[in-house]
Amino acid sequence: MLEIIQIPVLTDNYIYIIHDSISRETAVVDPALAEPVLDVLAKKNWSLTYILNTHHHSDHVGGNLQLKQQTGCRIIAGQSDRARIPGIDAGVNDNDVVSLGTHKAKVIFTPGHTSGHIVYYFAEEHLLFCGDTLFAMGCGRLFEGSAEQMWHSLQKLKVLPAATQVYCTHEYTQSNGRFALTVEPNNHLLQQKMVEVDKLRANHQTTVPSTIVEELATNPFFREDSVELQKTIGMLNKKPVQVFAEIRRLKDHF
Ligand code: ZN
Ligand code: FE
């Protein structure tokens, strides 16, 4: 069994600690900061085995060097980001496997938000750690990639099993949902989801993780084939990648 601890940090980031109770190996995904991770490790009496980075932005790697120095952990990140991941020990590529005890995470290359972005997918455990590629009802901004690249990356996540839990790195759900309703105002599942999200946020509770099946039903960046969405944004019968690009453009200006 993997135990997952979600630590809210900075304005809206999440750090995830993943612990395997059998091997006692522990990984942290995208440590923006070191201290909150060290606090959990001390409280749980866990020692850190790995840092898994999804991409090089400072709100994902900020704690790398201090954690490495204080715990002796190994840092794993995308091979193509080698030059810009602080303290990297091992560069991984698409389809590589990272092990935590007997648990295996497959690396999936998802460029778009950045050119080297990767995600970690534990197939047997139905867990996806997707950094800034996929958010609940949203996706990452295109800082270093084209809409076409991001669209291809998202297609790789869209086909994961419905029950897969989506652990993204930011609590952007409520504003993403507000935008989603402007492009698909009559989507009932989206309306329902937003009622839940508004309740959770009013109580300062997390809305993450979501699941792939929820994203298929509510995330406009997974819904290029919705006729309502296409009509609302004036892209009826356009190619999925063109519809995607237009949704991304509209969201950037929302
Ligand atoms: Zn980022
Ligand atoms: Fe980020």
Side-chain angles (χ1 to χ4, degrees), residues 12-13 30 54-55 57-60 113 131-132 135 143 169-170 172:
D12 48 33
N13 276 73
D30 285 350
T54 62
H55 66 295
H57 285 158
S58 61
D59 61 319
H60 299 254
H113 176 66
D132 288 355
F135 295 126
F143 286 123
T169 307
H170 289 276
Y172 288 161

Side-chain angles (χ1 to χ4, degrees), residues 6-24:
Q6 179 182 52
I7 315 175
V9 295
L10 305 178
T11 314
D12 48 33
N13 276 73
Y14 289 122
I15 299 174
Y16 297 105
I17 299 184
I18 314 169
H19 177 76
D20 171 39
S21 52
I22 307 286
S23 66
R24 295 198 57 79

